[in-house]
Amino acid sequence: MKYCFLFWCILLLVSCQSPVKDTHQTTVLVKQYKGFPKNEVDTVTTILQKVYGVKVIIAQNQELYENAFIDVKSPRYRADSIIKLQKADLKDSIDYILGLTSKDISTTKKDDSGNVKKPEYKYQDWGIMGLAYCPGNSCVVSSFRIKHKNKAVYFDRLKKVSVHEFGHNLGLPHCPDKKCVMTDAVESVKTIDNAKLKLCNNCNAKI
Ligand SMILES: [Zn+2]
Ligand SMILES: [Zn+2]
């Protein structure tokens, strides 16, 4: 009986002394908005895991926020509203939300001094491929402006835009290296085609 008690005491002592491992892995919730194909969600999930080593949870067939809808130039959704609303929906167990939509998204493009870029009619509601807080915990990617008849080109773009936007969430600004995935698209999808699907050494060192 005595030995038995001693055994349990030792066991207790050993288990208390074993270091508590930090098992938390950065978790990204990928929100699939209705109409966005599931196989494309899987493509984005895989590349986020590969490049950033994050854990991904998928929320399927989500309704896109109706109050982000706008019909100024054409029917589309405001990306700035989407990332704000996603952020408000963020649960404690999730670190980041990345939304995927096939709908057209837009934002207001500002110049360096914070005013709407000229001409205003053009940039007030400017169609974009993605938008992210930098840094922050919410971003959105749209497939509307990256479509290509060659599926391989399309998937390459989708991966690059997703890695780019999530990089902003992690605090990476635009990169001067034109081959880096964090390069500024400067209003052209061609820039994305010319960049590599990877972070340059400088960007990689920052995260
Ligand atoms: Zn960017
Ligand atoms: Zn870079």
Side-chain angles (χ1 to χ4, degrees), residues 68-202:
F69 183 76
I70 190 165
D71 197 357
V72 177
K73 281 200 250 173
S74 62
R76 39 167 83 147
Y77 290 80
R78 288 288 297 196
D80 38 5
S81 300
I82 296 171
I83 59 171
K84 197 174 165 189
L85 291 161
Q86 283 182 166
K87 187 184 156 128
D89 280 348
L90 200 78
K91 306 245 174 352
D92 281 348
S93 54
I94 305 291
D95 299 299
Y96 300 89
I97 296 189
L98 182 145
L100 292 171
T101 180
S102 49
K103 302 275 192 242
D104 196 14
I105 57 169
S106 62
T107 192
T108 302
K109 194 150 184 165
K110 307 257 176 84
D111 60 20
D112 290 339
S113 44
N115 300 310
V116 180
K117 196 175 164 183
K118 302 277 185 290
E120 272 194 37
Y121 71 88
K122 189 175 171 188
Y123 291 109
Q124 188 65 49
D125 192 52
W126 177 247
I128 51 173
M129 297 171 268
L131 190 70
Y133 290 120
C134 185
N137 48 17
S138 173
C139 63
V140 64
V141 172
S142 161
S143 58
F144 191 88
R145 287 168 188 274
I146 57 175
K147 288 268 154 55
H148 196 280
K149 56 182 184 300
N150 181 337
K151 276 274 167 195
V153 175
Y154 168 68
F155 273 89
D156 189 56
R157 289 174 175 176
L158 180 65
K159 287 188 260 188
K160 284 174 184 169
V161 177
S162 301
V163 169
H164 179 104
E165 297 307 335
F166 189 70
H168 279 322
N169 270 182
L170 294 179
L172 294 176
H174 282 145
C175 178
D177 182 347
K178 292 281 164 217
K179 289 281 161 210
C180 175
V181 76
M182 292 310 297
T183 188
D184 188 349
V186 282
E187 303 181 5
S188 167
V189 76
K190 289 271 182 317
T191 321
I192 296 169
D193 292 337
N194 292 331
K196 288 182 182 165
L197 179 54
K198 60 184 276 201
L199 299 166
C200 72
N201 292 340
N202 272 342

